[in-house]
Amino acid sequence: MTEIWLPVLLTFLVGGLVKGAVGLGMPTVVLGVLSAYIPLPQAAALLVIPSLVTNIWQLISGGNLTSLVSRLAPLAVGLALGTVLAPIGMATVDAKFATRGLGLMLMVYAIIGLSAARFIIRPSLELWLSPLIGIIAGLVNAATGLFVMPVVPYLQSLEFNKDELVQALALCFTVGALALAFRLHQDEVPVFGDMSGSALALIAALLGMPIGKLLRARVSERVFRTSFYYCLLAIGGFLLLKTFFVSGLAYG
């Protein structure tokens, strides 16, 4: 049991550290690393409670919540509906393809982050683009448990200030986690079956967040983000190599 829980707790600790340092990244780190140890639906189920608690904390700690919810409602509704109604979910898709999709998404996200590409969405496009992006993100969320692509680049294109962006990310991640929990329950994956494991994962994440904030005060955020993206690139590449060159996915 220790050989399973030790990497789980360490992964949540690092995920909390990254979230404390840059305001996002815990689901990305956790699913990217844990999918090498345990089945992806199980890793996603463990992530639900820590993700909800840390994102709600991040969401309510900022200002302008009412206007933000109003602006992002079409995106959030699309994300929820896309997740719940997606024809393919983690519990039904082949583990190899789900892991391959996760690895590919991590690599694309890392490459975009390293390129520092910036897109600006005009307000006239936001009204119809937000629900479309939300639905696409929901489909990805249902299949892989992660929707940083396309949600994070899209939110960055809406020209929020730094604090608004962190709060907008927290709102989307909260909605995504709730929708994923409902979808996993629909697919008979026990989301709250291992409450002790989820509680330990939450404690590890909460311990990591203040460490990340201290790190942010001592290390350039640009250096940290660059290191973060290179790590995601490596994790995504490893997952792709594993699914292409290892016959079957075995978890111990």
Side-chain angles (χ1 to χ4, degrees), residues 11-250:
T11 301
F12 273 94
L13 181 68
V14 173
L17 185 152
V18 170
K19 188 172 183 63
V22 298
L24 74 159
M26 187 172 76
T28 313
V29 171
V30 168
L31 291 182
V33 174
L34 286 190
S35 57
Y37 292 94
I38 59 178
L40 192 54
Q42 186 181 340
L46 273 176
L47 181 61
V48 167
I49 291 177
S51 182
L52 276 175
V53 172
T54 55
N55 281 305
I56 289 173
W57 178 9
Q58 192 170 295
L59 179 63
I60 62 177
S61 63
N64 304 315
L65 181 58
T66 303
S67 60
L68 192 69
V69 169
S70 175
R71 181 178 180 182
L72 294 180
L75 176 67
V77 170
L79 172 59
L81 290 177
T83 302
V84 173
L85 301 178
I88 297 175
M90 277 184 289
T92 53
V93 70
D94 183 272
K96 182 182 292 186
F97 290 108
T99 306
R100 192 175 292 169
L102 178 61
L104 182 61
M105 183 163 48
L106 291 177
M107 293 188 73
V108 172
Y109 177 48
I111 290 168
I112 290 176
L114 288 169
S115 71
R118 283 287 313 259
F119 306 97
I120 303 298
I121 301 297
R122 297 196 306 272
S124 59
L125 298 177
E126 191 177 335
L127 186 62
W128 65 266
L129 199 54
S130 281
L132 178 61
I133 292 291
I135 290 170
I136 293 170
L139 297 176
V140 175
N141 191 30
T144 68
L146 195 65
F147 53 91
V148 291
M149 289 295 298
V151 164
V152 173
Y154 178 69
L155 289 177
Q156 289 171 333
S157 75
L158 298 183
E159 297 191 283
F160 288 115
N161 65 42
K162 184 179 178 181
D163 292 334
E164 288 173 337
L165 179 59
V166 168
Q167 201 172 14
L169 289 166
L171 174 63
C172 291
F173 290 149
T174 299
V175 171
L178 286 170
L180 182 61
F182 185 80
R183 177 57 190 255
L184 289 170
H185 176 73
Q186 267 189 324
D187 292 342
E188 300 182 348
V189 176
V191 178
F192 303 111
D194 189 356
M195 291 300 291
S196 59
S198 291
L200 288 173
L202 173 60
I203 291 170
L206 291 176
L207 286 173
M209 286 181 70
I211 298 172
K213 288 180 180 178
L214 288 173
L215 190 61
R216 180 170 57 188
R218 298 176 183 276
V219 179
S220 161
E221 184 173 338
R222 181 183 175 193
V223 171
F224 192 92
R225 281 182 179 271
T226 301
S227 303
F228 171 59
Y229 287 130
Y230 274 119
C231 287
L232 292 186
L233 194 61
I235 293 170
F238 169 75
L239 292 176
L240 282 178
L241 287 173
K242 180 177 179 180
T243 58
F244 279 111
F245 296 108
V246 177
S247 123
L249 287 174

